[in-house]
Amino acid sequence: EGLAYRLRTKLHAAAGRAVERLSTDLDADADTLSLHFWRGGDPASTWRYARMAGDRAARAYANTDAAAQYERAIDASRGLPDVTDAQRLELWRRLGEVRDLAGLYESAIDAFGKALRLARDDRAAANDLLLKRANTRLRVGSSSSALGELTRAEQALAGDSSLEARQERVRIKSMRAIVRQAQERLADTLAEAQGIVDEARATGEYEALESVLIAIDVAAFQLGDTTVGANTMEALELARAHGRLKRAWSALTNLGVFAFYTGRWNVAVERYVEGRGAALELGDVVGAAYVGLNLGELYVNLGQLDQASQVLEDAVRVLRVAGSHTDAAYGVLQQARAHLNRGDLETAERMAEDVEIELVTLAQRVSALEASLVRAEALTRQGRAADALAVIEVASESAKGEGVALLPRVHRERARALLALARPDDAAVEAARGLDIAREHSLAYEEAMLLDVQAAIADELGDHELAGRSLADSTLILERLGVSIAVESPGS
């Protein structure tokens, strides 16, 4: 660094030539060669070796390293008249992909846009880039912009009935179903995803097929079908067979969610850990953070609050930096639940209300309902049961017809509030309704929570036999799940 610029440049160029001459594996030495030729002012050699180094880093899922090399190659290409637009397009595309995996979403969108401008009359390349950009826009919560990209891609196919066009339409429709899922338009998700399964199989679009198979199970589960999983298992097998780690971790995580809600928590932990490992292997730190949200929620339910706090803090930080605000908000909601379980009621209420407002703004009705239920519990336990009921009613009406998996919790929080308002008969009706739904859909944890509320109601009504039986049943379920905390009674 103390040398004169010209001398330093000459030394780097000489070092690059020496390494190039002595190397027995240019691919393995590409990052060193890229550095020396870049600093040595040799754009042609930089272009060659930076691309090689970028590809090598990308194969190892070292995505930020790959991005740095691709950026260097693009910079070098500006002084090389022989580099074609097709080569530049390919490099911008690769740069967008590794930036996306690294969680650099706005930069990824920019890279895909630069590639798109070079696509010109290459419809297939342009549509592929539009789909990639739509996916990245969705990851930052911009569903309307994502739909705009898909519409543009669809319009380019007007009047074309070729196999290639059919395959492109399947990919577009698959992505549209994923956008509907992100918007929590569950009935639309289910209809759109189911509508393209046969066409995806017929055209051999297996990556799109994996996406819609997972979307079908997720939407059906949220609409109340807890028997799902077969479609997601098929997607997992397809992803593994084709080496698509990103889709594999997505399938594993969703299988973990299904196991979690149906009380198979040992299976859920296994799926989450495996899915998180796949995401990290892929270099997808944001994907690993998504799985961290699920792990954090499970730790909260288990009463392992210190572990939950650590996992959730890390996940929320990564997701905020990446711009995944919807997912980060869900992480904050789980942090609010941890505060609730610690008895820090005012903090839990404030955090849940902030999340609720954010999710309503983002049109996430089902997730906003969940935030409202956390807030309602905090209000009831602060002696503000009437306010809790009002919060539940507004949120339930907003999410009407969707979020069926949350219905037992809706009835539970209503029962808590009604009991606190000295209306035990009405509370008993709500608890019974919630128990029926929880048992119908095999939601073991929700059943245990409702049994605990039912025990408190029965005590208030003088039915101590029912109270003892309900509490014993609740304890058995929680022990089977591995929950390590005593359940807070609604009257406390």
Side-chain angles (χ1 to χ4, degrees):
E1 293 300 326
L3 296 174
Y5 174 77
R6 287 186 180 179
L7 177 57
R8 190 164 68 244
T9 300
K10 287 181 180 179
L11 288 173
H12 274 297
R17 290 192 296 272
V19 172
E20 187 177 41
R21 185 174 63 254
L22 297 169
S23 176
T24 58
D25 187 345
L26 289 174
D27 189 58
D29 292 327
D31 55 347
T32 300
L33 289 162
S34 164
L35 173 66
H36 283 309
F37 284 125
W38 174 55
R39 291 186 174 175
D42 184 339
S45 296
T46 302
W47 164 254
R48 177 188 178 189
Y49 290 115
R51 285 183 299 154
M52 288 173 61
D55 290 347
R56 181 180 175 84
R59 287 194 300 271
Y61 306 117
N63 298 306
T64 53
D65 291 342
Q69 292 290 352
Y70 289 149
E71 289 162 7
R72 184 178 293 170
I74 288 168
D75 186 60
S77 75
R78 294 187 176 98
L80 299 173
D82 292 339
V83 175
T84 67
D85 282 350
Q87 289 174 308
R88 288 191 175 90
L89 184 158
E90 176 63 16
L91 204 53
W92 278 113
R93 181 188 64 77
R94 292 184 201 175
L95 178 57
E97 290 172 347
V98 294
R99 282 176 172 175
D100 180 82
L101 284 170
L104 304 170
Y105 295 139
E106 294 300 333
S107 297
I109 290 169
D110 177 70
F112 290 138
K114 297 278 178 48
L116 195 57
R117 283 195 284 276
L118 293 166
R120 295 191 179 90
D121 298 326
D122 188 340
R123 188 195 69 193
N127 275 3
D128 179 63
L129 289 162
L130 287 168
L131 282 168
K132 290 181 186 301
R133 199 161 66 169
N135 183 65
T136 306
R137 289 192 188 281
L138 188 61
R139 294 186 79 169
V140 296
S142 184
S143 56
S144 58
S145 297
L147 288 172
E149 305 281 15
L150 298 179
T151 298
R152 182 177 168 187
E154 220 160 25
Q155 289 171 344
L157 297 171
D160 191 340
S161 59
S162 66
L163 174 61
E164 182 183 70
R166 287 174 60 199
Q167 290 172 327
E168 289 184 43
R169 286 192 183 94
V170 166
R171 292 195 291 272
I172 293 166
K173 289 177 180 179
S174 167
M175 189 67 217
R176 194 179 295 278
I178 302 306
V179 175
R180 297 303 185 206
Q181 180 183 328
Q183 293 175 320
E184 296 190 341
R185 293 175 55 177
L186 304 178
D188 290 342
T189 301
L190 198 56
E192 292 190 22
Q194 289 174 332
I196 59 172
V197 168
D198 290 342
E199 183 71 356
R201 293 189 197 279
T203 57
E205 277 299 321
Y206 293 111
E207 190 168 2
L209 177 61
E210 293 159 17
S211 295
V212 295
L213 287 171
I214 295 171
I216 287 168
D217 274 0
V218 171
F221 184 83
Q222 290 181 298
L223 289 169
D225 182 0
T226 54
T227 66
V228 299
N231 288 313
T232 307
M233 280 301 302
E234 182 184 352
L236 176 60
E237 290 165 5
L238 284 169
R240 282 173 166 166
H242 292 91
R244 285 190 276 268
L245 280 176
K246 188 172 182 178
R247 189 75 65 221
W249 78 248
S250 176
L252 284 163
T253 302
N254 282 295
L255 288 169
V257 170
F258 303 150
F260 167 70
Y261 277 103
T262 53
R264 295 171 291 124
W265 286 5
N266 58 332
V267 175
V269 169
E270 290 173 5
R271 297 298 192 190
Y272 290 158
V273 169
E274 191 178 355
R276 190 167 183 269
L280 289 172
E281 183 181 348
L282 186 62
D284 189 348
V285 292
V286 178
Y290 291 145
V291 187
L293 295 183
N294 294 312
L295 268 175
E297 180 179 17
L298 182 51
Y299 284 143
V300 171
N301 282 15
L302 287 167
Q304 298 173 14
L305 302 182
D306 290 340
Q307 295 96 317
S309 295
Q310 183 61 55
V311 169
L312 291 168
E313 184 180 343
D314 291 345
V316 169
R317 183 180 64 253
V318 170
L319 292 167
R320 287 290 189 208
V321 170
S324 297
H325 298 298
T326 302
D327 299 293
Y330 191 77
V332 176
L333 177 59
Q334 300 310 314
Q335 291 175 316
R337 291 184 61 230
H339 282 288
L340 192 63
N341 284 0
R342 286 192 174 100
D344 188 357
L345 304 180
E346 291 183 2
T347 300
E349 180 204 343
R350 184 182 67 253
M351 292 177 72
E353 184 176 14
D354 289 345
V355 170
E356 182 184 356
I357 292 168
E358 183 174 5
L359 290 170
V360 167
T361 302
L362 294 168
Q364 301 289 301
R365 296 188 303 272
V366 177
S367 296
L369 171 59
E370 187 168 359
S372 299
L373 295 173
V374 173
R375 182 181 165 207
E377 182 178 352
L379 288 167
T380 297
R381 289 170 59 180
Q382 290 179 71
R384 299 167 58 191
D387 291 340
L389 281 177
V391 166
I392 294 167
E393 293 316 308
V394 171
S396 298
E397 185 61 30
S398 175
K400 196 170 185 178
E402 298 186 336
V404 175
L406 290 174
L407 279 180
R409 289 175 66 180
V410 171
H411 289 293
R412 187 218 310 170
E413 295 312 322
R414 280 185 183 142
R416 285 182 191 269
L418 290 166
L419 180 60
L421 291 168
R423 294 168 56 185
D425 291 318
D426 293 335
V429 171
E430 290 292 336
R433 287 173 178 167
L435 278 168
D436 287 343
I437 297 169
R439 286 165 176 160
E440 178 187 353
H441 297 294
S442 302
L443 301 172
Y445 182 74
E446 297 303 331
E447 181 183 355
M449 296 294 97
L450 280 156
L451 283 166
D452 186 71
V453 174
Q454 185 181 67
I457 297 167
D459 263 336
E460 185 69 21
L461 292 171
D463 190 346
H464 303 301
E465 182 182 348
L466 175 61
R469 190 166 63 248
S470 298
L471 196 57
D473 289 345
S474 173
T475 301
L476 283 173
I477 293 172
L478 292 174
E479 286 177 350
R480 174 167 57 82
L481 293 173
V483 175
S484 58
I485 55 172
V487 180
E488 188 77 43
S489 69
S492 61

